[in-house]
Amino acid sequence: MRIATLLLLVLLAACNREPLPAAAPAVGVDPAPPPGDPVEGLRVATRVGCNACHGAEGAGEVFMENPELGRLVAPNLTQRRTLYDDVALAALLREGRTHDGHVPWGMPIKMFQHLSDREVRDITAWLRGLPAVDNPALPAGKWSEELVRTTNDGTHPWLPDMMPDPGNEPPTVPPTQALALGRHLAFTSCSECHGWDLNGWEGDPAPSLIVAKAYTPAQFQRLMRTGEIAAGGKSKTGLMSGVAAYRYPVMTDEEITALKTFLDAR
């Protein structure tokens, strides 16, 4: 009897106890983005010209050498990558923010700023996966006095090419709709040579991309795959022919068709 009475009292006490306060809702945390794909990163790096300047193995190459500029060197990526974490690499590509504040001469930041988050992750994965290469024959860069002066005082006319547009907001992933994809490809692949608005540079042989309208779809495919222009043979300066033959064969048929669609619609 005593035991039964004790059990009854315990049950009554439990029933009269105030309910525990509800647990606070968990604060939402955005999931971490998926890791980059080094195979796709190589494809993107080829299309946008990373390995055209830094070499197929990322070992670095002399980018340009002349009396006006001096010697501009695309450095050994397998050495320079150690100076940047992934966030810093994204800032370098999109904002031109180098590890020590120097101007990244030769890097078309105005073009790279449009790369999507996914493309930046893929390029980063490709870069991280490159085997380390020693390139003792690569000379040091040597800027001309004029380039040093005009860089320091901000008057060199090419400086804006190494700066992003204020307020630029790149996409999370490349678009899939044909017209939007074509625009994305144009601004991440063509604006380096054909102008930030794709209308060419005054006094420069790279024409406005309105010329794409003169190409049939088949001719445009051939141009992007081989560098052969509509009339046959190489482009007037040979530059587009060389660039296209090296960089753009990695593009899919769908991408080339989307690019043509966008350029025709301008």
Side-chain angles (χ1 to χ4, degrees):
M1 185 71 178
R2 272 180 169 183
I3 294 174
T5 303
L6 286 172
L7 287 173
L8 180 60
L9 291 172
V10 168
L11 290 171
L12 288 172
C15 292
N16 291 330
R17 192 176 296 157
E18 291 186 8
L20 294 173
V27 177
V29 177
D30 291 333
D37 178 352
V39 175
E40 179 64 10
L42 171 59
R43 196 177 78 88
V44 178
T46 301
R47 173 172 62 81
V48 304
C50 300
N51 50 15
C53 291
H54 293 274
E57 297 179 335
E61 293 183 356
V62 175
F63 172 68
M64 187 182 297
E65 189 167 12
N66 60 50
E68 291 183 7
L69 299 177
R71 184 192 306 126
L72 303 183
V73 175
N76 185 333
L77 293 178
T78 70
Q79 295 173 347
R80 288 292 181 91
R81 67 188 172 190
T82 62
L83 301 172
Y84 298 85
D85 61 17
D86 291 357
V87 173
L89 271 175
L92 171 63
L93 286 171
R94 286 176 167 163
E95 303 169 36
R97 286 165 50 189
T98 57
H99 67 97
D100 60 1
H102 72 273
V103 174
W105 271 100
M107 286 189 69
I109 304 302
K110 192 78 81 175
M111 183 174 83
F112 289 164
Q113 68 174 331
H114 300 295
L115 289 168
S116 67
D117 294 342
R118 191 178 74 190
E119 288 167 317
V120 169
R121 290 198 305 273
D122 291 341
I123 291 174
T124 299
W126 161 75
L127 176 59
R128 297 288 187 213
L130 285 173
V133 178
D134 191 20
N135 188 2
L138 184 68
K142 186 175 177 59
W143 294 7
S144 69
E145 291 183 6
E146 180 68 8
L147 183 60
V148 171
R149 182 186 67 78
T150 54
T151 298
N152 289 339
D153 66 18
T155 60
H156 198 286
W158 295 356
L159 281 175
D161 195 39
M162 278 136 317
M163 302 176 185
D165 294 320
N168 176 63
E169 294 186 9
T172 302
V173 297
T176 55
Q177 190 273 335
L179 198 62
L181 175 60
R183 183 184 188 281
H184 177 77
L185 292 167
F187 281 96
T188 58
S189 310
C190 310
S191 57
E192 173 186 6
C193 294
H194 293 279
W196 305 327
D197 58 1
L198 307 178
N199 290 324
W201 304 101
E202 185 177 353
D204 190 275
S208 165
L209 286 185
I210 195 171
V211 299
K213 295 183 179 184
Y215 284 72
T216 66
Q219 289 171 335
F220 191 74
Q221 283 270 355
R222 185 181 66 190
L223 170 70
M224 299 299 287
R225 295 270 183 242
T226 69
E228 185 175 349
I229 63 174
K234 293 185 176 182
S235 55
K236 187 175 181 181
T237 64
L239 180 60
M240 176 58 184
S241 294
V243 168
Y246 180 79
R247 284 165 54 167
Y248 302 142
V250 300
M251 294 176 67
T252 65
D253 291 345
E254 178 187 13
E255 288 173 333
I256 293 175
T257 298
L259 177 60
K260 171 72 168 155
T261 299
F262 168 72
L263 295 177
D264 284 351
R266 294 177 68 235

